Amino acid sequence: IHFGKKIKYLLVPFAQYPKSNDIVMYLLSKSPAFKKLEKEKRIDISMDIINYEITEEIVLVYVDDFIGTGRSFQKYLRFKSKDL
C-alpha cells in the first residue's frame, strides 16, 4: 500500500453511533496502516467536517459498511452539503 508523503487522511464515518460502520471504523483504527499513519499524524477520524480545517493536503474518506442500499449515505451527503 502506498500512502503519499504530504497527504493526511480524514476518515469520516457518516452515521451516528451505534451503526454497523462503527465496526468498520474500529477495525480500521486497529490496523497496522492506521497505527503507522496515526503515529506520523497523517490520519484522523471526525464526523464534524464542517468545523475541521480541511486543506489541499487532506483527503476525505467516507467510511461505510457498504451493506444495504446506500440510502443512508445519500441522506447524509444531502444533509451535510447544506452546511458546506
Side-chain angles (χ1 to χ4, degrees), residues 3-40:
F3 297 101
K5 294 216 181 252
K6 292 184 178 181
I7 293 185
K8 180 174 182 176
Y9 300 92
L10 178 59
L11 304 181
V12 182
F14 70 87
Q16 296 284 344
Y17 179 84
K19 285 293 220 171
S20 54
N21 69 339
D22 293 328
I23 295 168
V24 176
M25 289 302 302
Y26 174 79
L27 294 174
L28 281 172
S29 70
K30 299 301 179 190
S31 72
F34 183 93
K35 296 287 188 190
K36 179 181 185 290
L37 291 170
E38 185 177 44
K39 188 175 182 178
E40 298 171 1

Side-chain angles (χ1 to χ4, degrees), residues 47 49-50 75-84:
M47 290 186 68
I49 62 172
I50 301 304
K75 288 178 190 176
Y76 168 85
L77 197 55
R78 275 196 298 272
F79 176 74
K80 287 295 182 181
S81 65
K82 292 177 188 175
D83 296 331
L84 296 177

Side-chain angles (χ1 to χ4, degrees), residues 22-68:
D22 293 328
I23 295 168
V24 176
M25 289 302 302
Y26 174 79
L27 294 174
L28 281 172
S29 70
K30 299 301 179 190
S31 72
F34 183 93
K35 296 287 188 190
K36 179 181 185 290
L37 291 170
E38 185 177 44
K39 188 175 182 178
E40 298 171 1
K41 300 188 184 308
R42 294 182 48 223
I43 197 163
D44 200 1
I45 298 172
S46 179
M47 290 186 68
D48 187 13
I49 62 172
I50 301 304
N51 295 312
Y52 198 95
E53 186 177 339
I54 298 175
T55 65
E56 290 182 6
E57 292 81 25
I58 293 180
V59 174
L60 296 177
V61 180
Y62 289 93
V63 179
D64 187 15
D65 60 8
F66 298 103
I67 298 172

